[in-house]
Amino acid sequence: MRKYFKYILLGMVVVSVSSCKKFLDINTNPNSLTSATPGLVLPQAITGAASISNTFSRNMADFSGAEANAGGFGGFGSVVTYDFGTGNFNGMWTSSYDNANDFQYILDNTAGEPLLIYSTSIARIMKSFAFERLVNQYNDVPYTDALKGTASLQPKYDKAEDVYKACIAELDKAIADITTGQANAATTKIAATADPLFAGNMDSWKKFANTVKLRMLIKMAGVPAQQSYATAAFNSMNTTLGFLTTDAINQPVYEKTVRPSPVYASLGFTGTGTNVNTSRIPTKWMFSFYDGTKLADKGRGEVIYRNYPSTPKNQLGDESTGVPAALSAGSAWFTGNNAALSLPGVVKGPGMGVPVMLAAESYFLQAEAYARGYLSGDAAAAFNNGITQSFTYLFKNASNVVDPSKDVAAAVTKYKNDNAISPLANFALATTVEEKVEAIITQKYIALNEIANDEAFNEFRRTGYPRIINGSTVPTETFASRQSISTHPTRLPTRVLYPQQEYNLNPANAPAGIDKFSSRIFWDLN
């Protein structure tokens, strides 16, 4: 019986509560828990979802062009050849279904209680968010038959586009239900301490749901068979409600020695001071968006990269003599040492929150929707807001405030001036729709570097931007590995494979004939 279709919540909660008593403060002896209430599960499930966001980003770091193999190591194997199999990337699948199961538990136990409509709606939003991420890497997945425990041990797979549509319907319902709850003074409020993502602010939850919906609709709108659905959905979209204007950051009080932030733990140091990232360094491709090759971006480069601009870098798949080793002082993506607790950058410190969705991404989504005519709005303003919000997030320290040493407005102005002739940074120079989309996606790609590598790769697959030169081996012209065996024109993978356990335990339903270089996610037309 597969663990992700069982209710294993009690075991998960017992383990997780013991590591965050200060955050929840709901049981002085978590080891004696005999039941898991929805109120207990919700904050843990939200925190779990944030951790999984980091897992997806880390899994896609090599594919997306963010990272390359460092010198001093050998035998990178499928990392550089892309010859991975059904035993790779399984954590994205299993953790997502476990997490979705938690939210389903909340739905099952609160849906009949009108006064608990906020808890129900948050669970509905986050369950949809989990399935959107699954579809983006696996395409068809179990949905309608999933999360039913022993009632459905071999669930059928739903078409990816149908899962998207079902999730969009769930997001719409959650938004409407929250609005209903807000009109009823008796609705049970979500305490700030019980909501590590939005501190009980239900307007923020509605904007988050609307932004996730926007992301899905934009992907669908480029697929001819889904255009009529997407058009109708855009026409009925609640734009008055708006979209995220601030970063969605999960913060359940991460602590260096007890429970460090997953971002810090995967790109910084362990609690005892061990450098956790010694086999990877940045790519020459990604650096070209900072060092003046494609764009000049000292402002963001120097807060992201250790020793910028002299950070060791490589091309994925280059294992020749002379490839630089990772810096012994620490990860290439953390500018401090183990004693540093709060710095700007991608890795801000052990107590930093985990980004679930950046305001920068929200604005770039809006910019594309306006540029393509899906929604009415000012694409240039949204584009510029996206750049500003990217600088703002990177200039924030672990306390989620802009570091006193940084000036966002001045840095953005300098960035614009340093790239005055590039339409990738100055939207007015992009005259066609395609040029505008290229600028938007390129800036989104930069903004998501080592924050949401999975979505950066998703958008490259969907749009073909940032532009690469297919077949090239020049490290600033492509981020495909030099040792790639991919048969795709980009020499990149098109997807990951289903876990082997699906073929072992659900053979009648697990899709056959999936090829990692030719099978594509439904929104990938490239």
Side-chain angles (χ1 to χ4, degrees):
M1 185 184 305
R2 286 166 299 168
K3 66 177 183 178
Y4 44 85
F5 291 118
K6 295 167 62 180
Y7 286 128
I8 58 169
L9 291 160
L10 179 58
M12 292 177 65
V13 171
V14 169
V15 170
S16 57
V17 168
S18 65
S19 67
C20 59
K21 283 166 56 180
K22 181 177 178 181
F23 167 50
L24 293 175
D25 195 24
I26 46 180
N27 196 303
T28 57
N29 184 11
N31 293 318
S32 67
L33 266 154
T34 58
S35 64
T37 65
L40 176 63
V41 174
L42 183 60
Q44 294 299 331
I46 294 171
T47 294
S51 181
I52 294 167
S53 289
N54 185 64
T55 298
F56 272 69
S57 181
R58 301 304 311 134
N59 273 269
M60 295 293 110
D62 297 312
F63 287 179
S64 72
E67 297 183 10
N69 49 289
F73 292 85
F76 279 91
S78 63
V79 170
V80 295
T81 63
Y82 305 136
D83 192 18
F84 55 87
T86 55
N88 299 99
F89 308 108
N90 288 188
M92 295 192 296
W93 180 277
T94 55
S95 62
S96 293
Y97 273 102
D98 278 346
N99 188 237
N101 205 39
D102 291 348
F103 291 118
Q104 186 62 50
Y105 173 85
I106 296 165
L107 284 165
D108 291 342
N109 286 274
T110 63
E113 300 288 341
L115 298 185
L116 298 180
I117 201 166
Y118 289 165
S119 296
T120 307
S121 299
I122 291 172
R124 203 179 297 281
I125 292 167
M126 293 306 294
K127 175 187 168 185
S128 298
F129 182 68
F131 275 100
E132 182 233 0
R133 279 193 306 211
L134 279 166
V135 166
N136 290 342
Q137 304 308 328
Y138 294 98
N139 207 43
D140 299 349
V141 297
Y143 180 79
T144 54
D145 279 356
L147 313 181
K148 294 182 177 180
T150 57
S152 181
L153 296 178
Q154 293 186 321
K156 71 178 180 69
Y157 278 60
D158 294 277
K159 301 295 289 184
E161 52 268 45
D162 293 337
V163 176
Y164 254 44
K165 291 175 184 177
C167 289
I168 288 170
E170 289 285 88
L171 293 170
D172 284 340
K173 179 170 175 52
I175 291 169
D177 285 352
I178 291 171
T179 301
T180 297
Q182 290 174 317
N184 183 357
T187 300
T188 301
K189 304 297 187 291
I190 302 294
T193 54
D195 177 4
L197 191 56
F198 292 118
N201 186 323
M202 299 313 297
D203 284 335
S204 293
W205 276 106
K206 290 196 291 186
K207 289 181 179 180
F208 174 64
N210 219 29
T211 310
V212 174
K213 175 182 174 180
L214 177 63
R215 183 162 76 180
M216 298 170 79
L217 285 176
I218 285 176
K219 284 183 170 65
M220 296 184 80
V223 182
Q226 305 304 321
Q227 284 176 353
S228 60
Y229 169 86
T231 298
F234 277 123
N235 289 340
S236 63
M237 195 163 202
N238 185 347
T239 53
T240 302
L241 167 62
F243 308 98
L244 281 179
T245 57
T246 57
D247 302 313
I249 307 293
N250 188 78
Q251 181 51 277
V253 188
Y254 294 109
E255 296 177 328
K256 181 177 180 179
T257 57
V258 178
R259 184 178 62 171
S261 166
V263 177
Y264 182 83
S266 59
L267 279 172
F269 292 91
T270 66
T272 58
T274 302
N275 179 7
V276 299
N277 202 288
T278 58
S279 66
R280 299 290 197 282
I281 54 179
T283 62
K284 295 176 181 178
W285 158 268
M286 187 61 77
F287 237 70
S288 69
F289 292 99
Y290 301 90
D291 66 6
T293 304
K294 290 186 177 70
L295 292 167
D297 193 353
K298 179 182 178 183
R300 285 183 287 189
E302 65 184 7
V303 297
I304 296 174
Y305 297 111
R306 179 182 294 275
N307 291 1
Y308 177 87
S310 300
T311 315
K313 44 197 171 290
N314 189 29
Q315 181 178 19
L316 186 66
D318 184 351
E319 295 185 89
S320 61
T321 302
V323 171
L327 293 166
S328 59
S331 164
W333 296 275
F334 182 47
T335 60
N337 55 34
N338 184 55
L341 298 178
S342 187
L343 293 167
V346 167
V347 186
K348 304 174 185 296
M352 68 176 287
V354 177
V356 174
M357 179 179 279
L358 295 182
E361 182 183 356
S362 171
Y363 279 114
F364 289 129
L365 287 167
Q366 293 171 61
E368 183 177 356
Y370 302 150
R372 291 190 186 275
Y374 299 152
L375 295 173
S376 297
D378 188 336
F383 175 85
N384 290 326
N385 281 334
I387 292 176
T388 297
Q389 286 299 321
S390 174
F391 275 87
T392 300
Y393 176 73
L394 289 170
F395 282 6
K396 287 180 178 179
N397 55 34
S399 298
N400 202 35
V401 296
V402 174
D403 193 85
S405 66
K406 297 298 178 184
D407 185 328
V408 172
V412 171
T413 297
K414 184 177 186 330
Y415 180 65
K416 294 281 190 176
N417 291 338
D418 287 348
N419 299 282
I421 62 172
S422 174
L424 298 179
N426 289 275
F427 200 69
L429 300 178
T431 57
T432 67
V433 171
E434 203 56 37
E435 287 176 344
K436 292 175 182 178
V437 171
E438 180 177 7
I440 292 163
I441 301 301
T442 300
Q443 284 296 333
K444 186 193 297 188
Y445 180 85
I446 295 168
L448 298 181
N449 174 23
E450 288 292 28
I451 298 169
N453 296 317
D454 55 317
E455 187 60 19
F457 188 50
N458 294 344
E459 292 295 74
F460 170 78
R461 286 180 288 172
R462 178 178 70 90
T463 67
Y465 300 126
R467 192 186 301 273
I468 70 171
I469 297 178
N470 289 344
S472 175
T473 58
V474 176
T476 57
E477 293 180 349
T478 182
F479 54 92
S481 172
R482 290 180 66 89
Q483 297 185 44
S484 171
I485 66 166
S486 173
T487 56
H488 192 270
T490 63
R491 300 183 68 244
L492 289 158
T494 56
R495 57 164 295 150
V496 297
L497 300 175
Y498 293 108
Q500 184 58 43
Q501 63 187 12
E502 283 296 290
Y503 295 106
N504 294 341
L505 299 170
N506 194 11
N509 295 303
I514 301 300
D515 187 284
K516 54 185 176 265
F517 304 136
S518 60
S519 300
R520 296 176 295 179
I521 310 303
F522 83 99
W523 40 251
D524 178 4
L525 304 182
N526 293 298

